[in-house]
Amino acid sequence: MNELPSQGKSNGFLEGLIELFAGFEDYRSPYAPTIQPPEELLKELVQNASFKSGLISATCSLPPGPLGILSILPELLMVYRIQGHLIMDIAALYGKEVQVTKELLLYCLFKHGGAHVFRKIIEESSFKILIRPTTVRVFQSVLEKLGIMISKSIIRKQFARWVPIGGAVVTGTFAYYDTKRVGKTAMELFSKEIHSDEIREMLESQ
């Protein structure tokens, strides 16, 4: 059976997303932990990242038709890079940058759109986060489910590319509020205790 265009694009995006996560390993947040993470600084970080995401998404959506469609994947990767750095900065302010894993990054990025996808690997309660050991097969299953979500997002963006100006406003607004939700998720997550056998072993080895 031939692969649908949206499926091919989501697969290509997932490959780019994996490469993006590899780049996050080299990212060092310029922020240091404080006894009490400053509320105003956290809000400012989220606001700046949200504005930047919205601007990039709207700008990439301006070219109409086929030219605009070619910009969808680069746009998504740029927005997720901004959101990923935001997550790392928030974690650093909470003194938990070393505890950021690819699972937590994905959780912060996509929880608001598909918390059920992470049910097998992350358990969240009012006071703590439990990260279960993840096999390659389980992680691949998570990526496949995210691929379905991404395909739907790509289809929506394809329609928006055929609506001059109005489509750019819609996609920019969506990226703005999506980044706001990512920031909120990250703040809620890193304000809690994070428990993981893998993290414990890493900290003990240092």
Side-chain angles (χ1 to χ4, degrees):
M1 181 180 295
N2 293 330
E3 191 178 53
L4 294 174
S6 60
Q7 291 177 325
K9 289 178 180 178
S10 64
N11 289 339
F13 171 77
L14 285 175
E15 292 175 2
L17 189 61
I18 292 172
E19 293 178 3
L20 189 63
F21 280 118
F24 285 146
E25 294 177 358
D26 298 324
Y27 177 75
R28 294 294 177 267
S29 174
Y31 299 97
T34 58
I35 295 176
Q36 183 66 32
E39 188 74 16
E40 290 305 313
L41 179 55
L42 288 169
K43 289 181 179 179
E44 183 181 350
L45 285 175
V46 174
Q47 180 64 29
N48 289 343
S50 299
F51 179 79
K52 191 181 298 184
S53 296
L55 182 61
I56 287 175
S57 184
T59 302
C60 289
S61 301
L62 284 174
L67 184 61
I69 290 175
L70 290 175
S71 69
I72 290 177
L73 294 186
E75 172 206 332
L76 286 171
L77 289 174
M78 284 189 288
V79 169
Y80 286 133
R81 182 182 297 277
I82 292 170
Q83 293 177 346
H85 288 173
L86 173 63
I87 293 165
M88 298 287 284
D89 289 341
I90 291 173
L93 282 170
Y94 279 100
K96 296 176 181 176
E97 187 175 11
V98 70
Q99 293 180 277
V100 179
T101 63
K102 60 183 182 296
E103 290 86 3
L104 285 182
L105 276 168
L106 284 172
Y107 187 66
C108 289
L109 287 171
F110 297 106
K111 178 197 171 184
H112 55 276
H116 61 283
V117 172
F118 302 93
R119 193 172 296 136
K120 290 185 178 181
I121 60 176
I122 293 179
E123 180 180 331
E124 183 175 4
S125 67
S126 300
F127 302 102
K128 68 179 181 179
I129 300 290
L130 175 62
I131 307 174
R132 298 187 179 93
T134 307
T135 63
V136 174
R137 185 172 182 178
V138 170
F139 191 70
Q140 182 63 35
S141 174
V142 170
L143 290 180
E144 288 173 357
K145 291 176 182 177
L146 290 178
I148 296 174
M149 293 171 52
I150 292 164
S151 294
K152 294 177 180 178
S153 176
I154 290 173
I155 291 172
R156 288 196 300 269
K157 288 179 178 293
Q158 286 176 337
F159 282 116
R161 291 311 198 256
W162 294 97
V163 184
I165 307 300
V169 172
V170 170
T171 57
T173 301
F174 179 84
Y176 175 87
Y177 285 106
D178 186 68
T179 304
K180 283 267 192 183
R181 287 191 288 266
V182 169
K184 180 181 178 182
T185 297
M187 285 190 288
E188 291 175 349
L189 188 151
F190 292 111
S191 66
K192 302 175 181 180
E193 294 183 12
I194 300 176
H195 298 274
S196 168
D197 291 338
E198 294 177 353
I199 291 176
R200 189 181 301 114
E201 290 174 1
M202 181 174 60
L203 291 173
E204 291 175 350
S205 65
Q206 292 183 341

